[in-house]
Amino acid sequence: MPSRFQFERAVRSSELAPLSRLLALTVATWADVRTGVIPDHLQPSLTTLEESTGLVRASVRTHLDKLEAGGWLKRNRPSVAAARAVKARTKYKLLIPKGAEVPDSDGIELGQDVTDARAGDALDERGLGQEMPQARAGDALPLGQEMTVTRAGDALSSYLGPNGPKDVQPPRAAADDLPTRMLTKWWEQYGRQTAQGRTSVRAAIAAALENGIDPNLLWQALVRVGELSKPITGGTLQFALSELRKNTTGADVIPLAGGRRLSTADQRASAAMALAAELAAEDNQ
């Protein structure tokens, strides 16, 4: 198995298409620099690769297929059952195709081991990219080190914006919540034909779910609005929902085997769990 450095040099000098090259180098960011192995807990999901590269999911899948067919990656995919039950993910292995050129190292690759370096010492080629002990106020900052403090004892946690202090890294919404997953799935199909931003689409989805709309019914409405090339708003979703209701019959409860009936609240919870499981399984494949 090649080291991460060897893999990256081979990819950079290859004739891979630009998007395939981008995806290959992105996958490599989770690999160990010496062994090229991606630890199980760092294996990226499709959602992670989509967000990291800026590609839509269909493109991620297409270029993963091309990289695997070309001998650059090997994928060990879990079964659908394992993806749903234990959230098993696809495992990626970096490869270099037979005959591919692997240029020699220029000797200054980031992340190489360093045996001993102190703050203020000149940094040789071995130290670039290595994590160093936390610098003290007034010490020289070694190249490649992540600065964690500014003044002695002051954590670097905020900056002064126009309206006061703000977090350096604002908290991001969890990637596995239902509104985000519904947005991702919808965007894959209709994102190319809308001028609307992802944030506003997700906000409309989240608001609809908070108002108690059945997730499966909401998904049908999202598909309908997407087919009409309309923006996703509360108004367009209500229009689509009214169309769907005209074409369906039923009450607030649905019959089950043995004469039991499922309440609307139970139906919504079950539908949400089913849709979330379906989206999670698709992401892990």
Side-chain angles (χ1 to χ4, degrees):
M1 180 182 296
S3 72
R4 171 177 159 184
F5 294 146
Q6 291 171 327
F7 178 82
E8 290 175 340
R9 294 199 303 268
V11 170
R12 291 198 302 264
S13 65
S14 72
E15 295 183 356
L16 285 169
L19 295 183
S20 292
R21 188 177 307 183
L22 166 65
L23 188 57
L25 293 173
T26 300
V27 172
T29 61
W30 286 281
D32 182 270
V33 294
R34 293 173 295 276
T35 66
V37 174
I38 302 176
D40 288 350
H41 69 285
L42 294 181
Q43 293 288 347
S45 66
L46 287 177
T47 296
T48 300
L49 292 175
E50 182 182 12
E51 293 175 349
S52 300
T53 61
L55 301 174
V56 297
R57 183 163 302 203
S59 292
V60 171
R61 285 176 168 159
T62 295
H63 291 283
L64 283 175
D65 289 341
K66 290 181 178 180
L67 289 171
E68 187 170 32
W72 292 95
L73 290 177
K74 181 179 180 180
R75 289 181 288 182
N76 182 11
R77 296 175 174 143
S79 65
V80 174
R84 290 184 175 179
V86 297
K87 297 184 178 179
R89 288 184 176 177
T90 296
K91 295 182 180 180
Y92 296 91
K93 180 178 180 181
L94 305 183
L95 301 172
I96 295 178
K98 185 176 181 180
E101 179 186 359
V102 184
D104 292 334
S105 170
D106 55 13
I108 55 172
E109 291 172 314
L110 297 177
Q112 290 180 344
D113 288 339
V114 63
T115 56
D116 185 18
R118 295 183 300 276
D121 287 349
L123 187 71
D124 63 22
E125 63 189 29
R126 298 172 302 158
L128 294 175
Q130 184 198 11
E131 288 190 13
M132 302 292 291
Q134 179 172 301
R136 297 185 301 275
D139 287 347
L141 182 64
L143 295 178
Q145 181 188 11
E146 184 175 337
M147 185 65 171
T148 56
V149 297
T150 49
R151 298 180 302 275
D154 290 344
L156 180 62
S157 60
S158 63
Y159 68 92
L160 189 61
N163 298 318
K166 293 184 179 180
D167 290 339
V168 172
Q169 294 181 340
R172 297 177 59 188
D176 57 352
D177 66 290
L178 187 55
T180 297
R181 290 196 170 276
M182 293 181 74
L183 163 66
T184 299
K185 190 174 181 66
W186 183 89
W187 197 269
E188 179 182 337
Q189 299 180 44
Y190 303 104
R192 293 178 180 273
Q193 60 194 55
T194 180
Q196 190 176 9
R198 293 171 66 105
T199 301
S200 62
V201 175
R202 187 194 180 282
I205 294 173
L209 291 171
E210 290 174 0
N211 289 332
I213 302 298
D214 180 285
N216 285 325
L217 186 60
L218 174 58
W219 177 250
Q220 295 177 56
L222 288 167
V223 170
R224 178 58 178 155
V225 175
E227 291 173 344
L228 296 173
S229 297
K230 300 288 186 181
I232 301 296
T233 65
T236 57
L237 288 175
Q238 286 297 330
F239 170 78
L241 288 168
S242 65
E243 276 194 345
L244 292 170
R245 291 185 180 118
K246 289 178 183 178
N247 297 326
T248 59
T249 58
D252 287 340
V253 294
I254 57 175
L256 298 175
R260 295 180 295 114
R261 300 173 75 82
L262 182 65
S263 69
T264 300
D266 290 337
Q267 181 183 359
R268 287 172 180 159
S270 298
M273 292 174 64
L275 184 57
E278 177 185 344
L279 294 175
E282 178 181 324
D283 183 49
N284 289 330
Q285 285 295 304

